[in-house]
Amino acid sequence: MSNMKKLTVLALSFLLSACMVNVDRTRATELNRYSESSIKEKLIIGSSTKKEAMLLLGAPNSPKDYNHASEWVYKSVQIHRGIYLSIPFNNNKEQVLTLKFNEVGVLSSLDYIDKASKSIFK
């Protein structure tokens, strides 16, 4: 019976060690916290202002001098890689949000792209 227990413990430790995940959020921004639908609920074309966008998402990634710019770009990248039962996977998330404002600082257009990668490592 003790050999069976040792074999069980060895098998369980192997299976648990075969499940590892590494998530790198160093390039994730406030945009990472929102989906396309929640952004469109909070930022409304024709009524939302630069101030409201700033309060929701913080300063844009570009341009650096965003106060006088009519187009703001937000980017967020989260690298999520792991191994599950010895099978490697890649579940990265990359979001790009482009906001365009009119001459009085009101949102005139919103473009959201979510580049989710759920591919297996090659």
Side-chain angles (χ1 to χ4, degrees):
M1 218 33 157
S2 66
N3 285 338
M4 188 61 134
K5 286 183 181 180
K6 289 179 185 177
L7 185 59
T8 302
V9 169
L10 183 62
L12 283 174
S13 62
F14 173 74
L15 287 175
L16 290 175
S17 68
C19 301
M20 299 184 316
V21 174
N22 178 30
V23 179
D24 178 8
R25 292 185 179 95
T26 55
R27 293 185 294 161
T29 63
E30 285 296 310
L31 180 59
N32 188 51
R33 299 176 53 205
Y34 301 100
S35 66
E36 181 178 9
S37 60
S38 65
I39 288 171
K40 287 183 176 179
E41 286 175 9
K42 297 176 188 308
L43 296 177
I44 300 160
I45 295 173
S47 67
S48 295
T49 63
K50 286 183 175 183
K51 181 179 179 179
E52 291 170 331
M54 182 75 75
L55 289 173
L56 181 67
L57 299 168
N61 296 90
S62 68
K64 294 300 179 193
D65 184 21
Y66 55 86
N67 286 323
H68 304 293
S70 62
E71 182 174 306
W72 292 3
V73 178
Y74 290 89
K75 294 180 183 176
S76 182
V77 177
Q78 179 176 299
I79 307 295
H80 183 192
R81 295 183 176 153
I83 296 174
Y84 182 70
L85 297 177
S86 300
I87 301 171
F89 68 90
N90 181 5
N91 192 16
N92 298 339
K93 183 178 180 183
E94 182 178 352
Q95 299 166 285
V96 179
L97 174 66
T98 304
L99 303 177
K100 292 183 182 177
F101 299 94
N102 62 20
E103 60 280 346
V104 292
V106 175
L107 185 63
S108 60
S109 75
L110 178 151
D111 185 36
Y112 178 87
I113 300 169
D114 187 356
K115 302 174 185 177
S117 169
K118 297 182 188 269
S119 61
I120 303 287
F121 293 161
K122 300 271 178 174

